[in-house]
Amino acid sequence: LGFIVPDKFIPLFEKNGFVVKLDFYMLEEIFKKIIEITGKGLINFTISVNQSRATICNPQYIDKLTELVNKYDIDTSRIELEVTESILTENHKYILSVIEKIRTMGFKVSMDDFGSGYSSLNTLKDMPINELKLDRMFLSEEAKSDKTKTIIKKVIEMARELNINSICEGVETQDDVQFLKEIDCNMAQGYYYGKPIPIEE
């Protein structure tokens, strides 16, 4: 079938439950890759890995995560686990306890797609996260307006006050970059800098 974008197959895997196996497969592959990169003396950087709601809610999640960490003796601070804000819509206290355990293990945690749901501010006050990733819709052509820019600016100011790094997704133009620099957004991500590429590249 050729190259298939995640948006096409992730929903299917979430529906049939295979996403849990996929998440752990990706984690293990990244652990292996970090060991390889470290062995070659390459630059130290953090790799972000998405974790689905089904995976986080799996009762064996922390045990399996611990097993992988012990197997590869990995430096967990090199890994950032990304969760979406919608993850807190169910089992609020349980999810928060799992994220606290992840942080205790040394992993960084980021909230992905912030602003794509309806519980953003309510969840932000409780979530023990390192980084906040603003959803790409804020910078889409359809959404660009003075009101949207004000919202982005205020969310980034709020994150700064909470000692949370901010990342804006969907950055595609020089104007986007200039605007984010002006409001002191910590990081930017998008096609302006580069499209997804094979790890060898």
Side-chain angles (χ1 to χ4, degrees), residues 119-182:
S119 56
S120 305
L121 297 179
N122 191 42
T123 58
L124 191 57
K125 70 179 175 60
D126 297 324
M127 281 282 272
I129 57 174
N130 303 95
E131 293 185 338
L132 186 68
K133 300 185 77 173
L134 277 77
D135 190 79
R136 69 189 66 198
M137 71 173 188
F138 284 112
L139 290 181
S140 68
E141 285 302 322
E142 299 79 15
K144 282 181 181 176
S145 67
D146 289 340
K147 284 184 178 180
T148 304
K149 286 184 175 181
T150 299
I151 291 170
I152 295 173
K153 181 180 178 182
K154 294 303 179 183
V155 168
I156 287 170
E157 286 178 4
M158 181 176 58
R160 191 181 306 117
E161 289 290 321
L162 295 170
N163 294 315
I164 298 171
N165 283 332
S166 53
I167 302 176
C168 198
E169 300 179 304
V171 178
E172 296 189 359
T173 68
Q174 178 60 46
D175 287 344
D176 292 340
V177 174
Q178 187 58 38
F179 167 63
L180 294 174
K181 283 183 176 179
E182 288 171 1

Side-chain angles (χ1 to χ4, degrees), residues 50-116:
N50 292 94
Q51 301 291 273
S52 70
R53 182 191 305 188
T55 302
I56 293 285
C57 291
N58 188 303
Q60 282 85 45
Y61 178 67
I62 293 297
D63 289 341
K64 287 185 176 182
L65 198 57
T66 303
E67 190 179 307
L68 277 179
V69 170
N70 293 338
K71 179 178 178 180
Y72 292 97
D73 192 24
I74 200 80
D75 176 4
T76 52
S77 67
R78 302 277 300 277
I79 303 284
E80 180 179 79
L81 300 176
E82 292 188 8
V83 298
T84 58
E85 60 171 324
S86 61
I87 201 168
L88 283 180
T89 56
E90 299 171 18
N91 300 322
H92 190 87
K93 288 184 179 179
Y94 175 74
I95 297 297
L96 285 178
S97 71
V98 171
I99 292 173
E100 287 284 9
K101 288 174 184 174
I102 292 171
R103 288 278 302 269
T104 301
M105 293 171 72
F107 291 100
K108 295 174 184 174
V109 179
S110 70
M111 184 188 288
D112 197 16
D113 300 334
F114 182 79
S116 62

